[in-house]
C-alpha cells in the first residue's frame, strides 16, 4: 500500500511506472546526472529500476509534485489524472536505509529537476516532510546526506536544516552531512504534520 504526503507547497507521491518517462527525460541532463551521482540508463532500465525501488524495503522514494502546477482536484494514488507529461512532477526525494550496522540511520537525497520550481523552497519542504515521515513510520534517528562539493545550493539548504558536516571525500569530491534527531526536533517535526493519505 502506498502513502502520499501533502504539505503547503508540495505533494509527495509514490514513484509509479507512469512517472518513469519524465524521470528518464530528466536523467538525460548531464548536470543532473553529475549532481545526483547517477549513471545514464535506457528507458527499459529505468522501468526496471522503478520496480526494484518500489520493492526494496530499504528504500523509500517519493515523486515531488509542485502544488502550483497540480491540475484540478488531486486524487492520491491516481497519477494518470494529471495531464501528461505531468506538469506538476518536478523532482524526487529518497531515503536509503543501507547501513546494516545502524538500522536507525538513513541516507537522504533530494532533486528538484525542473528549473521552473527551483528556488521556491520545495526542496526544503520535501526534505522536512520525508524526515518527519521516516522518524514516525520507520524509526530513523540519524540522517546522512552526501553532496558534491560544487553543489552550493544543496549544501546550504541542508546546513540551514541543521545538518552538520561530518566528513569529506577527496576521491568523490563530496561532503557528508549528518543530522541527529533530538527530542526537541521530534516535537518540531510533529508540528509539520504533513497530510498523510494511504491508498
Amino acid at each position: 500500500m502506498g502513502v502520499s504526503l501533502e504539505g503547503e507547497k508540495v505533494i509527495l507521491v509514490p514513484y509509479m511506472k507512469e512517472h518513469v518517462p519524465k524521470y528518464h527525460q530528466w536523467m538525460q541532463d548531464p548536470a543532473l546526472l553529475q549532481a545526483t551521482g547517477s549513471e545514464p540508463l535506457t528507458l527499459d532500465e529505468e522501468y526496471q529500476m522503478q520496480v526494484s525501488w518500489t520493492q526494496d524495503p530499504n528504500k523509500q522514494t517519493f515523486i515531488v509534485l509542485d502544488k502550483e502546477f497540480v491540475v484540478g482536484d488531486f486524487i492520491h494514488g491516481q497519477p494518470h489524472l494529471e495531464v501528461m507529461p505531468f506538469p506538476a512532477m518536478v523532482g524526487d526525494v529518497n531515503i536509503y536505509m543501507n547501513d546494516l550496522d545502524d538500522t536507525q540511520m538513513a541516507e537522504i537525497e533530494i532533486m528538484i529537476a525542473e528549473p521552473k520550481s527551483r528556488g521556491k523552497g520545495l526542496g526544503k519542504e520535501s526534505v522536512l516532510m520525508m524526515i518527519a515521515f521516516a522518524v514516525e513510520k520507520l524509526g530513523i534517528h540519524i540522517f546522512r546526506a552526501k553532496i558534491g562539493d560544487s553543489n552550493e545550493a544543496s549544501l546550504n539548504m541542508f546546513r540551514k536544516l541543521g545538518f552538520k558536516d561530518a566528513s569529506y571525500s577527496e576521491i568523490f569530491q563530496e561532503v557528508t552531512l549528518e543530522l541527529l534527531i533530538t527530542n526537541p526536533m521530534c516535537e518540531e517535526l510533529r508540528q509539520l504534520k504533513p497530510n498523510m493519505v494511504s491508498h
Side-chain angles (χ1 to χ4, degrees), residues 3-31:
V3 170
S4 298
L5 307 174
E6 187 166 353
E8 282 182 34
K9 299 176 179 179
V10 300
I11 302 170
L12 305 184
V13 297
Y15 184 26
M16 301 182 206
K17 66 179 186 297
E18 291 89 346
H19 298 128
V20 171
K22 185 159 185 179
Y23 192 90
H24 179 66
Q25 184 187 328
W26 289 338
M27 288 295 128
Q28 305 307 300
D29 180 345

Side-chain angles (χ1 to χ4, degrees), residues 63-196:
I63 292 294
V64 179
L65 303 183
D66 184 340
K67 286 175 80 169
E68 187 180 327
F69 299 103
V70 171
V71 179
D73 290 332
F74 179 79
I75 299 177
H76 292 270
Q78 298 195 19
H80 58 274
L81 289 185
E82 273 200 81
V83 181
M84 290 296 281
F86 298 118
M89 178 180 164
V90 298
D92 72 333
V93 61
N94 314 292
I95 53 170
Y96 308 94
M97 294 155 284
N98 48 12
D99 189 328
L100 299 177
D101 297 324
D102 188 351
T103 56
Q104 295 187 326
M105 196 283 290
E107 188 174 330
I108 188 164
E109 290 181 348
I110 178 72
M111 173 181 75
I112 302 298
E114 292 288 334
K116 69 186 180 194
S117 294
R118 291 182 189 148
K120 292 164 52 175
L122 305 190
K124 177 182 176 184
E125 185 178 61
S126 299
V127 167
L128 283 172
M129 285 166 62
M130 180 61 108
I131 288 174
F133 172 81
V135 168
E136 184 182 343
K137 296 294 179 186
L138 306 172
I140 303 298
H141 290 291
I142 301 172
F143 292 88
R144 185 175 288 161
K146 294 181 179 179
I147 301 167
D149 60 9
S150 61
N151 192 343
E152 285 297 327
S154 277
L155 286 169
N156 288 339
M157 185 192 77
F158 276 97
R159 285 167 179 152
K160 281 180 183 168
L161 289 173
F163 280 72
K164 305 291 184 199
D165 290 35
S167 63
Y168 178 73
S169 166
E170 291 281 356
I171 297 168
F172 296 108
Q173 294 187 312
E174 69 181 11
V175 182
T176 297
L177 303 103
E178 287 188 355
L179 176 69
L180 175 65
I181 302 297
T182 58
N183 284 335
M185 205 174 290
C186 277
E187 284 306 312
E188 280 181 48
L189 290 169
R190 283 194 193 101
Q191 303 298 316
L192 262 180
K193 283 189 187 152
N195 182 20
M196 192 178 300

Side-chain angles (χ1 to χ4, degrees), residues 20 24 28 39-48:
V20 171
H24 179 66
Q28 305 307 300
E39 295 292 325
L41 301 177
T42 66
L43 185 57
D44 280 347
E45 287 170 333
E46 208 77 75
Y47 275 110
Q48 291 167 23

